[in-house]
Amino acid sequence: MPYCKIVLTDSLQTFSYQDYGLLTYEIPVPLEERLAVGSLVKMPLRNKEEEGIVLKIYQELSPEEKTFKLRQITEFIQQLDLQKELLDLLKFTADYYCCTMADLITAALPIKQIKKPCKTSKNPLRKFSKLEQSKPPQLTEEQQQALNAIFKYLHESRKFLLHGVTGSGKTEIYMQVIARVLEANKNVILLIPEISLAPQLAQRLGARFGIDNVVLWHSALSKTEKQFTFNRLEQKEACIVIGARSGVFATVKNLGLIVVDEEHENTYKQDSPAPRYHARTLAIKRSELNACPVIFGSATPSVELYYKAASNEFPDYHLLELKKRALASSLPTVHITDMCQEFNNANKSVFSRKLDTLIKASLERQEQIILFLNKRGSASHVFCRNCGFVYNCANCDSKTVYHADKKLMICHHCGFTEAHPKECPECGSQAIKFFGLGTQKLEEEVIKTYPEARVARLDSDVSRIKNSYIDILESFAKQEIDILVGTQMVAKGLDFPNLTLVGVIATDSNFSQLDYAADERGFQLITQVAGRAGRADKPGNVVLQTYQAEREILESAKNQDYQDFYSREIALRKEFSYPPFGKVVRFLIASEKDHIAIAFANKFHERIYCLKSADLDILGPSPALISKMNNKYRYQIVVKLKNESDILNLRDFFFNFEKNNQVVFTIDVDNQSLF
């Protein structure tokens, strides 16, 4: 009798970490001829029936399986058209990122839409149906050289890093490669770091290739919009799939190209919940499975990828550089303003005198402005001036942030809310001070200081309203907004011809994270947001407001000098064996009882220490940077590996370690943050 391995399609619990978390069932004789890999079936589980997907069929049971009385599949529902290369990608992801297939199926493949197609579907890009067709522009010499290099390997699994200054025309290179791939009747996956960038990019691609040849793949789509994407991918005509990180799993057939735009963005890494994958790594693997190229584009590449592309150690990686902007415009002029001097010269305003002068001049010329502050809310923390009491979250080891529009203090980690404080709970004083600056407060200051300006704000608080970010960006594109205040949502990939001034309000806060990649992320963010200014025929200005004007990295960002930043950063990475000279794996232990979390962490450390070798460096156990979150005490053990193959040993060690139902125990490969 044949047997099969099944993964549940909609499960919130993991039954086994062994063999990817799959369940074993007998195949009854009436279904032997019908079942294949990808079959959607019903089977008994505990005291009810569940749905699952067959991922493996075999004839002989393992010794362990023979000890159990196996149950039989009860019903065949339908055959899902899941490509072998996609299933192979899922298996690779489960191995490398130490998760189960159940985790992956639930997160990566919206099976409900695949198995129960709607009779109606709706194109989320329908409002762009009347776009005027555009033609390819004349390429610069640098662009043409890059394009020729990619065309040479268009049918091989090559990895291209397109490193170009902001405004150098990377998107045009993508489009010309895409055109060649579509001509060969192959499909394209184009990944972007934020779904807010999808409308603007879809318009550009739609104007070139027809909007019917562009589809979206991301979590914010409605059921009918997702159905449109699935229906389109079932057709034989080639198309372009624009997606956020989960787009790397799109059910694309005959894949001919993968593009990862702004590849350096940390939003490509899924931190929580499982599967904790990095889309960049999976894009590389999927290109290998499909024997097609993958193009990574960035003005500020990740240190790991730049090292591989620039090194002779990796012959299938290619570095393509664009050092000049594609249009006649030059890079913006960057001004570093010392806010200590501003304060000493009696300027107590949020805006330095330089920024204030440039804002007024831009408004007079009817040009647009972005003011960037990577902190939302009105006040970063609240305290009593009488006794020093600080309002912290009741559930987390972190301060609450005051949001004036809601008159609430909110924890940005667990969502805890508390009413507007009227008196100190410690001493009864009403001397409550709202300290620090967030985007809400900045928006208020802008409206008060520049009453003639039309002002809008774009951050995650605003974007929770469906399509609000699209509406705001469209209004900005139509020049209905003069000043746009925002977090890092305004720093990525936006291209507005009339935007000539960018002000970075609290530059130093972008370097405040306490982990090995803090300087890299800060440099990338500042350089990217600065690159939004002066991208057309109008000169651009950028003002970096800082209390640490002597920082070397600010000079690198000012000059958009990636090489200067990279030379310092790569030396530090090598000295301390951080990526690209090693892998980082983080184990996180969390429990509602501190002593239980500590005991578990110590026990795991004692066991894992036995694995220690010259290729394994173990840090901890130590409290996580936020030591308590959502009423759970948190401890971490960070392991640095020199050999990627050791990840499998750690995975097996993690899965086989005895669990405790009072402890949440997770593993994160290629960890990006120690929070």
Side-chain angles (χ1 to χ4, degrees):
M1 176 174 287
Y3 308 91
C4 66
K5 294 284 188 182
I6 294 178
V7 60
L8 298 179
T9 61
D10 191 19
S11 173
L12 299 179
Q13 51 187 320
T14 301
F15 292 91
S16 170
Y17 284 113
Q18 300 298 323
D19 201 2
Y20 303 111
L22 306 184
L23 305 173
T24 306
Y25 283 84
E26 285 185 357
I27 301 176
V29 174
L31 296 181
E32 283 185 21
E33 298 296 322
R34 301 188 69 184
L35 290 194
V37 172
S39 293
L40 183 66
V41 298
K42 282 187 178 179
M43 70 284 185
L45 183 64
R46 293 175 178 164
N47 59 352
K48 60 181 180 178
E49 281 202 335
E50 296 281 359
E51 291 183 356
I53 302 172
V54 175
L55 293 186
K56 181 179 179 182
I57 296 177
Y58 56 107
Q59 299 296 322
E60 291 292 327
L61 292 175
S62 68
E64 182 182 8
E65 289 171 324
K66 289 179 180 178
T67 63
F68 295 97
K69 183 178 180 181
L70 298 181
R71 304 171 81 176
Q72 290 190 345
I73 293 172
T74 55
E75 182 183 342
F76 169 82
I77 301 175
Q78 71 181 77
Q79 186 65 33
L80 302 179
D81 190 10
L82 300 179
Q83 303 294 298
K84 181 181 182 302
E85 59 89 11
L86 184 54
L87 292 174
D88 289 344
L89 179 70
L90 295 176
K91 290 176 182 177
F92 167 82
T93 306
D95 274 338
Y96 185 83
Y97 288 107
C98 308
C99 59
T100 67
M101 290 294 281
D103 291 330
L104 286 166
I105 292 292
T106 301
L109 298 177
I111 296 298
K112 289 183 178 180
Q113 278 74 34
I114 296 176
K115 68 175 182 160
K116 296 175 181 176
C118 309
K119 292 182 179 180
T120 60
S121 64
K122 184 168 63 175
N123 184 357
L125 301 174
R126 59 196 177 280
K127 62 181 175 181
F128 302 137
S129 58
K130 296 181 181 179
L131 286 173
E132 291 186 16
Q133 190 166 5
S134 66
K135 294 181 180 180
Q138 183 71 34
L139 297 181
T140 66
E141 184 177 344
E142 285 184 329
Q143 286 176 310
Q144 191 61 57
Q145 289 176 352
L147 199 59
N148 292 341
I150 297 170
F151 283 160
K152 185 178 178 181
Y153 299 106
L154 203 53
H155 304 292
E156 299 180 26
S157 174
R158 297 285 180 141
K159 297 87 177 174
F160 296 95
L161 173 56
L162 191 57
H163 174 213
V165 297
T166 54
S168 58
K170 295 182 288 292
T171 304
E172 182 57 38
I173 292 177
Y174 303 157
M175 292 205 290
Q176 298 216 18
V177 179
I178 287 170
R180 188 71 65 92
V181 172
L182 295 180
E183 287 173 5
N185 202 32
K186 292 188 175 182
N187 291 295
V188 176
I189 293 176
L190 198 164
L191 300 183
I192 52 177
E194 296 277 0
I195 58 175
S196 59
L197 301 176
Q200 190 178 54
L201 184 58
Q203 280 184 275
R204 289 189 66 176
L205 292 168
R208 183 71 60 87
F209 303 109
I211 202 66
D212 290 338
N213 293 318
V214 181
V215 296
L216 301 182
W217 180 292
H218 58 72
S219 59
L221 297 177
S222 68
K223 184 176 180 180
T224 56
E225 289 172 342
K226 287 178 182 177
Q227 191 58 48
F228 177 86
T229 295
F230 292 125
N231 292 345
R232 185 66 183 80
L233 293 178
E234 285 295 313
Q235 298 170 11
K236 293 184 179 180
E237 295 86 359
C239 67
I240 308 157
V241 180
I242 300 175
R245 61 174 173 252
S246 65
V248 75
F249 297 112
T251 54
V252 173
K253 303 170 187 175
N254 200 20
L255 183 61
L257 174 68
I258 302 173
V259 177
V260 184
D261 192 28
E262 308 291 3
E263 65 80 21
H264 63 277
E265 289 288 352
N266 59 5
T267 49
Y268 283 123
K269 176 68 165 66
Q270 166 78 6
D271 288 325
S272 184
R276 297 174 176 83
Y277 65 92
H278 201 305
R280 184 176 63 224
T281 300
L282 299 189
I284 291 171
K285 183 62 179 179
R286 193 163 188 184
S287 80
E288 292 170 353
L289 292 170
N290 285 272
C292 73
V294 56
I295 303 173
F296 299 98
S298 177
T300 55
S302 59
V303 169
E304 300 99 300
L305 189 57
Y306 189 87
Y307 176 80
K308 287 185 176 182
S311 170
N312 294 326
E313 298 176 42
F314 304 91
D316 55 341
Y317 283 76
H318 304 266
L319 177 60
L320 308 174
E321 302 214 65
L322 305 175
K323 299 180 180 179
K324 300 176 182 177
R325 283 192 159 181
L327 299 175
S329 64
S330 57
L331 291 170
T333 301
V334 180
H335 314 269
I336 298 176
T337 60
D338 189 336
M339 296 303 287
C340 294
Q341 290 184 6
E342 294 287 322
F343 181 81
N344 292 332
N345 290 327
N347 180 13
K348 307 298 193 295
S349 168
V350 172
F351 311 106
S352 64
R353 286 166 296 179
K354 184 67 177 179
L355 181 55
D356 176 61
T357 299
L358 291 173
I359 288 174
K360 290 174 180 175
S362 294
L363 291 174
E364 286 178 6
R365 294 192 300 267
Q366 296 184 327
E367 296 171 354
Q368 292 172 288
I369 302 154
I370 279 181
L371 297 179
F372 169 70
L373 177 63
N374 205 21
K375 188 182 293 290
R376 57 195 172 96
S378 300
S380 57
H381 63 280
V382 183
F383 67 96
C384 173
R385 285 179 288 183
N386 186 56
C387 72
F389 175 82
V390 176
Y391 286 80
N392 286 331
C393 173
N395 305 323
C396 305
D397 180 25
S398 63
K399 300 177 180 67
T400 52
V401 176
Y402 182 63
H403 289 246
D405 59 341
K406 301 180 179 69
K407 291 185 170 53
L408 289 174
M409 294 190 297
I410 301 174
C411 175
H412 289 173
H413 298 292
C414 74
F416 168 82
T417 61
E418 188 174 356
H420 180 295
K422 294 182 179 178
E423 62 181 35
C424 175
E426 196 75 13
C427 70
S429 168
Q430 295 184 353
I432 306 300
K433 174 70 173 177
F434 296 87
F435 186 81
L437 184 69
T439 48
Q440 285 184 21
K441 181 64 174 176
L442 178 58
E443 182 185 23
E444 292 173 12
E445 289 294 320
V446 172
I447 292 170
K448 183 172 67 175
T449 310
Y450 310 102
E452 75 280 15
R454 297 167 296 176
V455 182
R457 172 168 54 92
L458 183 58
D459 56 26
S460 56
D461 292 325
V462 174
S463 66
R464 287 193 179 97
I465 303 170
K466 185 175 175 61
N467 293 329
S468 60
Y469 59 88
I470 297 175
D471 295 338
I472 291 170
L473 292 177
E474 286 184 353
S475 294
F476 197 73
K478 294 175 182 176
Q479 300 182 30
E480 297 169 350
I481 296 169
D482 299 315
I483 302 177
L484 181 60
V485 174
T487 58
Q488 57 184 308
M489 296 180 75
V490 303
K492 305 170 183 179
L494 301 176
D495 192 348
F496 300 109
N498 197 43
L499 172 59
T500 59
L501 176 60
V502 168
V504 181
I505 301 303
T507 301
D508 307 317
S509 66
N510 298 295
F511 299 97
S512 60
Q513 293 185 7
L514 300 177
D515 59 56
Y516 74 90
D519 275 1
E520 178 182 21
R521 284 196 287 272
F523 171 80
Q524 289 167 341
L525 195 52
I526 290 172
T527 305
Q528 288 288 335
V529 72
R532 300 310 106 206
R535 294 170 69 93
D537 56 352
K538 299 176 182 178
N541 281 282
V542 178
V543 178
L544 307 180
Q545 297 191 163
T546 175
Y547 286 93
Q548 297 174 312
E550 70 283 355
R551 278 180 182 265
E552 285 184 314
I553 201 167
L554 293 183
E555 281 296 319
S556 301
K558 173 182 177 179
N559 300 319
Q560 289 211 15
D561 190 344
Y562 179 83
Q563 285 295 339
D564 184 55
F565 156 75
Y566 176 79
S567 61
R568 289 195 304 271
E569 186 69 15
I570 199 68
L572 290 171
R573 298 286 183 92
K574 188 171 186 177
E575 181 179 356
F576 295 103
S577 298
Y578 280 113
F581 304 102
K583 292 282 182 180
V584 176
V585 179
R586 181 201 195 198
F587 296 93
L588 185 64
I589 298 101
S591 175
E592 292 182 359
K593 297 181 179 178
D594 194 23
H595 70 278
I596 290 178
I598 292 173
F600 190 96
N602 288 335
K603 183 178 181 181
F604 182 75
H605 177 264
E606 181 183 330
R607 299 278 184 87
I608 200 172
Y609 198 82
C610 299
L611 297 177
K612 189 172 182 180
S613 66
D615 294 332
L616 206 66
D617 189 10
I618 302 172
L619 308 176
S622 61
L625 289 180
I626 299 177
S627 59
K628 184 184 179 186
M629 186 182 293
N630 207 11
N631 280 323
K632 290 186 174 63
Y633 296 91
R634 307 164 77 240
Y635 293 85
Q636 64 186 17
I637 296 171
V638 177
V639 180
K640 293 191 288 187
L641 313 171
K642 290 185 179 178
N643 299 315
E644 189 173 302
S645 58
D646 285 333
I647 289 175
L648 293 180
N649 295 332
L650 285 181
R651 180 202 66 177
D652 293 341
F653 188 81
F654 168 76
F655 284 165
N656 292 322
F657 190 77
E658 57 265 34
K659 303 299 187 291
N660 182 327
N661 60 11
Q662 296 185 73
V663 173
V664 177
F665 186 35
T666 58
I667 181 173
D668 188 0
V669 177
D670 292 340
N671 175 257
Q672 302 286 297
S673 172
L674 300 182
F675 282 102

